Amino acid sequence: MAKWTPTHEAPEPLEGPVVATITGLTVLWFVLFLVQLPFYGWFDDHGHTWWVWTCLAGGGLGLIGIWYVRGRDRAIRRAAASAAGTTSTKPS
């Protein structure tokens, strides 16, 4: 059986407002946590407290995600600035 090989180039990865997206979703996780807190007794009675803690965990992991994507964004900008500085040739 022959191995399949792609016949076309892979597309460039999509870059969007990554920091804003992760920040917005992290805020959403924390809002969901805060909205569910007044109903903690109901969640406890029905065995669904994991919903509350999942939202808190999502918010906490989102904070790590914000830290990560901000660093990634800075590294991408630094690499672009470095590439722009090294590719420009100055006449001697």
Side-chain angles (χ1 to χ4, degrees):
M1 177 175 254
K3 183 178 178 184
W4 180 82
T5 56
T7 57
H8 60 280
E9 292 278 328
E12 290 292 319
L14 297 175
E15 287 293 330
V18 180
V19 176
T21 302
I22 300 300
T23 303
L25 292 174
T26 300
V27 168
L28 179 65
W29 277 114
F30 279 124
V31 167
L32 289 171
F33 171 72
L34 293 174
V35 166
Q36 290 180 359
L37 271 182
F39 304 103
Y40 186 83
W42 183 90
F43 286 113
D44 194 28
D45 292 343
H46 292 85
H48 296 301
T49 54
W50 64 271
W51 289 4
V52 177
W53 302 120
T54 298
C55 292
L56 183 61
L61 290 171
L63 291 175
I64 295 169
I66 291 170
W67 170 77
Y68 179 82
V69 296
R70 289 183 73 199
R72 177 183 175 271
D73 197 39
R74 281 193 303 269
I76 289 171
R77 282 198 210 122
R78 216 173 21 247
S82 175
T86 58
T87 58
S88 64
T89 56
K90 295 180 184 177
S92 300

